[in-house]
Amino acid sequence: MDLKGMGVALITPFKEDESVDYDALTRLVEYQVQNGTDYLVVLGTTGETPTLTGDEKEEIVRRVVGQVRRRVPVVRGVGGNCTRALADTLKNGNFNGIHAILSVVPYYNKPSQEGIYRHYRALAEVTPLPLVLYNVPGRTGMNMTAQTTLRLARECEAVIAIKEASGNIAQMDDIIKNKPADFQVISGDDGITFPLIALGAVGVISVIGNAFPQEFSRMVRLALAGDYENARVIHSRFAELFELLGVDGNPAGVKSMLSMMGFIENRLRLPLVPTRILTYEKIREVLRKLNITC
């Protein structure tokens, strides 16, 4: 499948009692579809997936797929640090309405590069859908090197792309320059999406797109079309927000923003907590400067 453009890593809205706010989720999905998002990613990092029960995960996927009605593709996160358990999920899970799988580098175990390679190869052998690698060493504790990524891209037909969030531009450039023609590199960091597209990435799986799908998808499309001047204007407009979204961790920043905009309640599940008051007020001030009502 083609993952060109702006995908959005959906948040999971919670009510005051910390139950999943499915009505808010439905509204947010429709907001994405109506405002330029090219595809949606459910059950990723931004969705606070480790804090969700098995039943909640299945219901979230069901609701998202039902609301999307195939108007845009849906990518499902299936990640973990037990290869055998993940392979079993891929072989036996229900993936109706899902177009691809996003799977993060195993965390906590700290496998070697050979272990990472064999992990993904085992998943590629059983996956019913295209597989997108996800490298985010800031969360997993292990960086998947360009050499390992390229090895998987060349040897595993099911592996079609990587969401790269290592922050290492040189590593990403190495992958882009040496990858197979049909293998896609996707930015995993809103703040470097613009320069990474200039190097040859096909787009982003975005956090800020939860709040600003129309504006940020336009930036991505302009950059992909080679209109770097106008893309840079939008990139610069959101530069301060990119930094603030990560000050108190993801998705605390974007959830505070969405709550100011009236989409959701500002609730997270422990061990995650909302942004500090100082960060919250800084985000509010930036939104006011951008003429966004909050």
Side-chain angles (χ1 to χ4, degrees), residues 41 62 85 127 140 190-191 225 257:
V41 179
R62 189 186 73 80
T127 181
T140 65
D190 289 324
M257 187 184 305

Side-chain angles (χ1 to χ4, degrees), residues 50-92:
T51 72
L52 299 172
T53 68
D55 288 344
E56 287 172 335
K57 292 175 186 178
E58 294 306 316
E59 183 64 11
I60 286 168
V61 172
R62 189 186 73 80
R63 297 271 187 141
V64 171
V65 168
Q67 184 64 31
V68 167
R69 301 191 301 277
R70 295 193 175 273
R71 288 175 289 172
V72 298
V74 178
V75 177
R76 175 171 178 165
V78 181
N81 54 2
C82 176
T83 307
R84 182 176 295 183
L86 289 181
D88 185 64
T89 297
L90 291 175
K91 285 189 287 186
N92 300 309

Side-chain angles (χ1 to χ4, degrees), residues 25-225:
L25 177 64
T26 297
R27 292 193 297 271
L28 186 61
V29 169
E30 190 60 29
Y31 174 62
Q32 299 298 320
V33 174
Q34 294 291 337
N35 284 280
T37 297
D38 294 296
Y39 59 96
L40 295 172
V41 179
V42 293
L43 303 184
T45 303
T46 305
E48 298 174 67
T49 305
T51 72
L52 299 172
T53 68
D55 288 344
E56 287 172 335
K57 292 175 186 178
E58 294 306 316
E59 183 64 11
I60 286 168
V61 172
R62 189 186 73 80
R63 297 271 187 141
V64 171
V65 168
Q67 184 64 31
V68 167
R69 301 191 301 277
R70 295 193 175 273
R71 288 175 289 172
V72 298
V74 178
V75 177
R76 175 171 178 165
V78 181
N81 54 2
C82 176
T83 307
R84 182 176 295 183
L86 289 181
D88 185 64
T89 297
L90 291 175
K91 285 189 287 186
N92 300 309
N94 178 6
F95 296 102
N96 289 336
I98 303 299
H99 297 77
I101 300 297
L102 176 72
S103 195
V104 70
V105 168
Y107 45 83
Y108 189 73
N109 305 25
K110 300 190 77 172
S112 66
Q113 294 302 307
E114 182 64 21
I116 294 172
Y117 166 78
R118 293 191 189 186
H119 168 83
Y120 278 123
R121 180 158 189 131
L123 300 188
E125 289 173 354
V126 298
T127 181
L129 294 168
L131 189 63
V132 181
L133 315 176
Y134 180 15
N135 186 38
V136 56
R139 288 185 178 272
T140 65
M142 286 300 296
N143 175 54
M144 181 164 61
T145 65
Q147 181 181 12
T148 301
T149 299
L150 292 169
R151 186 181 177 192
L152 288 162
R154 292 166 183 152
E155 296 181 14
C156 301
E157 185 178 353
V159 174
I160 64 163
I162 183 170
K163 177 184 177 183
E164 244 291 354
S166 65
N168 186 335
I169 292 289
Q171 175 171 295
M172 300 177 197
D173 188 38
D174 188 4
I175 296 168
I176 290 168
K177 287 189 295 188
N178 295 293
K179 68 181 182 64
D182 58 351
F183 183 79
Q184 299 177 314
V185 177
I186 304 163
S187 172
D189 183 339
D190 289 324
I192 64 169
T193 296
F194 171 64
L196 201 59
I197 289 175
L199 290 173
V202 300
V204 62
I205 295 176
S206 173
V207 174
I208 202 170
N210 277 280
F212 301 108
Q214 189 173 68
E215 296 89 338
F216 203 58
S217 66
R218 183 168 183 268
M219 190 281 289
V220 171
R221 292 189 182 103
L222 287 168
L224 287 170

